Amino acid sequence: RKEVEQDPGPFNVPEGATVAFNCTYSNSASQSFFWYRQDCRKEPKLLMSVYSSGNEDGRFTAQLNRASQYISLLIRDSKLSDSATYLCVVGGSQGNLIFGKGTKLSVKP
Amino acid sequence: NAGVMQNPRHLVRRRGQEARLRCSPMKGHSHVYWYRQLPEEGLKFMVYLQKENIIDESGMPKERFSAEFPKEGPSILRIQQVVRGDSAAYFCASSRNGPLNTEAFFGQGTRLTVV
């Protein structure tokens, strides 16, 4: 099982749609979880941290299920500017960050 | 408050030459991470350093690659005798704290092309 596994994508959705990304991780001892976004040929940028209680930031909601080792990201009311690759990231046992391969989102007018 | 600074942004090397990639972390950050990204691929962890210490180098190739983060100055990723397969984007990230709080900020990357 890969350390961090994501939906392969790509997701092509119309503006205004709600889209959900899923991610699973293999190390049950992982303590920190994040979603990053990466635009084409740019650096990854932190979108949001993911907490056990779930957290919301505007149109974005992240959930963590430790029992299932599962992380999700929900984007409501998609905008054209949301088009990017979304990276699921898990803190490794020695403090490094382990990235999933990413899921590409394309929001169409 | 400058972010993570990487230089050069683009680097071209001939096969067999050495490549040196520099990374200055954000102010107040003492943890540095290097990642490699091949075209259309995800980010692969290479090495995690704190000042003067290598904490985890499990992602570093056994030969030709080395990294340091001296007490003064930027972190350096060094690739000796580069080969075509080393062509990639190399990203550096920094964070204020280490394990359990690894919210990290990335530099714009160095794009290495080996010709």
Side-chain angles (χ1 to χ4, degrees):
Chain A
R1 184 178 178 184
K2 290 182 182 174
E3 287 186 282
V4 179
E5 210 152 0
Q6 294 186 240
D7 284 348
F11 284 53
N12 298 305
V13 303
E15 266 187 296
T18 295
V19 60
F21 301 138
N22 304 315
C23 170
T24 56
Y25 60 96
S26 60
N27 184 356
S28 59
S30 299
Q31 298 287 335
S32 51
F33 309 91
F34 309 91
W35 283 100
Y36 277 73
R37 124 176 214 158
Q38 186 175 27
D39 292 281
C40 187
R41 297 185 66 77
K42 297 288 182 77
E43 75 274 23
K45 291 187 177 175
L46 179 67
L47 182 64
M48 58 198 306
S49 302
V50 188
Y51 305 115
S52 296
S53 54
N55 49 303
E56 186 175 310
D57 182 3
R59 298 181 293 109
F60 299 83
T61 301
Q63 298 276 355
L64 168 64
N65 183 323
R66 285 187 184 271
S68 303
Q69 294 177 212
Y70 171 92
I71 307 162
S72 66
L73 176 69
L74 184 76
I75 305 176
R76 289 181 298 279
D77 188 23
S78 302
K79 311 289 183 193
L80 295 176
S81 57
D82 293 335
S83 297
T85 297
Y86 289 83
L87 306 169
C88 176
V89 184
V90 175
S93 57
Q94 296 206 63
N96 58 305
L97 294 174
I98 301 168
F99 282 74
K101 282 196 169 183
T103 302
K104 190 171 181 180
L105 171 67
S106 180
V107 182
K108 307 289 187 185
Chain B
N1 184 16
V4 179
M5 303 300 291
Q6 287 189 249
N7 69 83
R9 292 286 306 280
H10 299 274
L11 182 62
V12 179
R13 283 286 177 266
R14 294 186 186 282
R15 280 179 295 171
Q17 290 185 318
E18 178 179 287
R20 280 188 180 233
L21 288 62
R22 294 175 186 76
C23 170
S24 295
M26 282 180 71
K27 188 176 181 181
H29 288 194
S30 59
H31 301 256
V32 165
Y33 315 82
W34 285 94
Y35 289 81
R36 175 164 64 177
Q37 188 172 35
L38 294 168
E40 305 301 321
E41 293 284 325
L43 280 91
K44 297 291 187 191
F45 167 74
M46 298 182 76
V47 62
Y48 162 35
L49 311 103
Q50 291 182 42
K51 284 285 188 183
E52 300 183 276
N53 289 306
I54 295 174
I55 306 302
D56 180 1
E57 56 181 347
S58 57
M60 288 278 270
K62 294 283 186 279
E63 296 176 349
R64 302 187 299 107
F65 285 72
S66 62
E68 62 177 9
F69 188 15
K71 188 176 179 181
E72 302 290 338
S75 175
I76 306 284
L77 179 67
R78 183 183 177 204
I79 312 172
Q80 294 178 290
Q81 298 176 311
V82 295
V83 300
R84 289 244 171 93
D86 296 333
S87 296
Y90 291 83
F91 289 101
C92 166
S94 73
S95 65
R96 184 177 297 278
N97 299 312
L100 305 184
N101 184 8
T102 49
E103 183 175 312
F105 298 87
F106 281 79
Q108 292 181 303
T110 293
R111 279 171 176 75
L112 172 65
T113 303
V114 180
V115 297

